[in-house]
Amino acid sequence: NAGVTQTPKFQVLKTGQSMTLQCAQDMNHEYMSWYRQDPGMGLRLIHYSVGAGITDQGEVPNGYNVSRSTTEDFPLRLLSAAPSQTSVYFCASIPTEGSLNTEAFFGQGTRLTVV
Amino acid sequence: GEDVEQSLFLSVREGDSSVINCTYTDSSSTYLYWYKQEPGAGLQLLTYIFSNMDMKQDQRLTVLLNKKDKHLSLRIADTQTGDSAIYFCAENDNQGGKLIFGQGTELSVKP
């Protein structure tokens, strides 16, 4: 198993550009989430999904879109990049509710800079 | 809404014990977690505790949970320089696997 795979690892965008951060997991987890990490603020939830076809907003959803057409993939789209979106982005997947192991598995992160 | 709070920095000497503290607001949390993040890396689960437990020990790690005060702590015995990292407390709010994280405590271990 590869676990959670995020691409790209690094990205520089110009203000106004759009891009998609990819996240894939091969553990058949129902729950997937996107977080952003900023210094002194921990990880803040952007969007999450409880299964294919179902997504919902987290704490800081503005400027981001998500979709979940398959269990494996949960891409995060930046519609029009802004400098405030400079951050490190983490994708996570969690086993289905009721599992004894509720560990969240994280990707290695995408470091995004918007200039 | 849910909130998780941690102090931002902790500095200890190698061989001492480290205690990292966390407070949370959601009394319905089922699981509470400690994650470790090394520089440039993702988050690694260190340990977790069910909300119906008071203590959990795992080798050098001891987790204490005070449900009345909504206070969670992580004690690292015999702290080593390899323990230097950011430690995140997190709670599961039972809504589709959402994890709510604290700000992270940066642990610095001096030789």
Side-chain angles (χ1 to χ4, degrees):
Chain A
N1 286 353
V4 179
T5 303
Q6 278 185 245
T7 55
K9 288 188 170 52
F10 300 95
Q11 183 71 50
V12 178
L13 288 179
K14 293 183 178 178
T15 297
Q17 285 185 312
S18 62
M19 80 159 294
T20 299
L21 278 64
Q22 301 292 343
C23 177
Q25 52 97 2
D26 60 359
M27 297 171 283
N28 202 33
H29 290 170
E30 290 295 318
Y31 302 144
M32 295 185 75
S33 311
W34 274 102
Y35 293 86
R36 59 177 289 173
Q37 182 179 20
D38 301 292
M41 302 187 77
L43 276 78
R44 293 182 292 168
L45 183 64
I46 304 171
H47 285 284
Y48 66 101
S49 169
V50 301
I54 306 169
T55 64
D56 207 346
Q57 296 181 348
E59 181 186 355
V60 288
N62 292 343
Y64 308 95
N65 273 356
V66 291
S67 59
R68 186 93 181 274
S69 56
T70 66
T71 299
E72 294 78 19
D73 299 297
F74 191 42
L76 177 73
R77 281 183 287 278
L78 279 71
L79 309 171
S80 176
S84 61
Q85 293 179 302
T86 294
S87 187
V88 181
Y89 291 84
F90 288 99
C91 177
S93 73
I94 303 176
T96 53
E97 189 174 2
S99 167
L100 287 179
N101 181 358
T102 61
E103 174 181 357
F105 293 82
F106 283 85
Q108 288 301 301
T110 297
R111 189 173 296 273
L112 176 68
T113 302
V114 183
V115 298
Chain B
E2 307 92 349
D3 196 18
V4 179
E5 298 281 339
Q6 297 177 242
S7 54
L8 295 182
F9 300 100
L10 177 65
S11 180
V12 301
R13 291 215 171 271
E14 192 173 20
D16 288 349
S17 292
S18 308
V19 179
I20 303 172
N21 294 301
C22 170
T23 58
Y24 61 97
T25 58
D26 187 358
S27 58
S28 68
S29 295
T30 305
Y31 305 101
L32 294 138
Y33 306 84
W34 285 104
Y35 281 85
K36 177 182 180 182
Q37 184 183 36
E38 295 182 349
L43 276 72
Q44 170 197 359
L45 180 68
L46 278 181
T47 187
Y48 64 91
I49 189 168
F50 293 108
S51 58
N52 62 357
M53 296 170 64
D54 297 323
M55 186 182 87
K56 181 178 180 182
Q57 187 149 6
D58 184 2
Q59 299 182 333
R60 291 190 298 122
L61 305 178
T62 303
V63 179
L64 295 178
L65 175 60
N66 181 329
K67 289 183 287 294
K68 175 175 170 289
D69 295 337
K70 298 193 182 68
H71 182 267
L72 184 73
S73 68
L74 173 70
R75 179 178 181 268
I76 306 172
D78 187 25
T79 312
Q80 302 298 306
T81 54
D83 294 323
S84 292
I86 300 177
Y87 291 81
F88 290 94
C89 167
E91 62 173 353
N92 179 327
D93 75 345
N94 293 322
Q95 294 183 28
K98 285 167 57 180
L99 288 177
I100 308 299
F101 286 87
Q103 306 94 317
T105 299
E106 183 175 348
L107 175 64
S108 172
V109 183
K110 300 188 186 316

